[in-house]
Amino acid sequence: MPLLASIRMRSGANVIFAALGVLLAVALLGGEERFFFVGAAALIVAGVALGASLWGLNPRPELSRPGVVALSLFAAFVLWSGASLFWSEAPDRSCDFFNRALVYLAFLVVGLFVARRRFADLLA
């Protein structure tokens, strides 16, 4: 307990850690349908982290130019896979692929916020 008491963080960091703890608990303790909840939790955590950074509660991740290009291309790929639902012969499979890609994008966004040194140390 003294180790946890000595760690002082801003409220935005605590929200991210609480969300990651809930995500981990659902992944470990969930039943058969736990993967749906993991993906939904990743989307919620990514949304909370982005919202907190836009409102100034959490520092924004710093990306290099190649990082911005990679993130933009991946986001465009996710949007393109979502748009493919309109002309797909098997829309149920296209929807599954879009949902999976969207969850991957959410985990990428969460990873951008967790990549800072203090978050990495605590998660390790």
Side-chain angles (χ1 to χ4, degrees), residues 47-83:
V48 167
L50 283 173
S53 73
L54 290 176
W55 283 324
L57 299 174
N58 201 18
R60 293 182 184 171
E62 297 176 14
L63 294 174
S64 63
R65 182 178 300 257
V68 170
V69 169
L71 183 63
S72 301
L73 287 174
F74 189 65
F77 174 72
V78 171
L79 289 174
W80 183 258
S81 68

Side-chain angles (χ1 to χ4, degrees), residues 7-109:
I7 298 173
R8 290 179 179 35
M9 286 187 241
R10 296 175 51 187
S11 63
N14 292 334
V15 169
I16 291 175
F17 278 122
L20 287 173
V22 169
L23 181 64
L24 181 62
V26 168
L28 294 176
L29 302 175
E32 238 176 70
E33 300 294 324
R34 70 177 181 248
F35 295 114
F36 168 76
F37 293 110
V38 170
L43 289 170
I44 291 169
V45 170
V48 167
L50 283 173
S53 73
L54 290 176
W55 283 324
L57 299 174
N58 201 18
R60 293 182 184 171
E62 297 176 14
L63 294 174
S64 63
R65 182 178 300 257
V68 170
V69 169
L71 183 63
S72 301
L73 287 174
F74 189 65
F77 174 72
V78 171
L79 289 174
W80 183 258
S81 68
S84 72
L85 290 169
F86 294 115
W87 63 79
S88 177
E89 288 185 17
D92 56 337
R93 294 188 66 185
S94 296
C95 186
D96 289 341
F97 182 78
F98 171 67
N99 289 338
R100 187 178 317 121
L102 190 62
V103 169
Y104 291 161
L105 182 63
F107 273 110
L108 177 65
V109 169

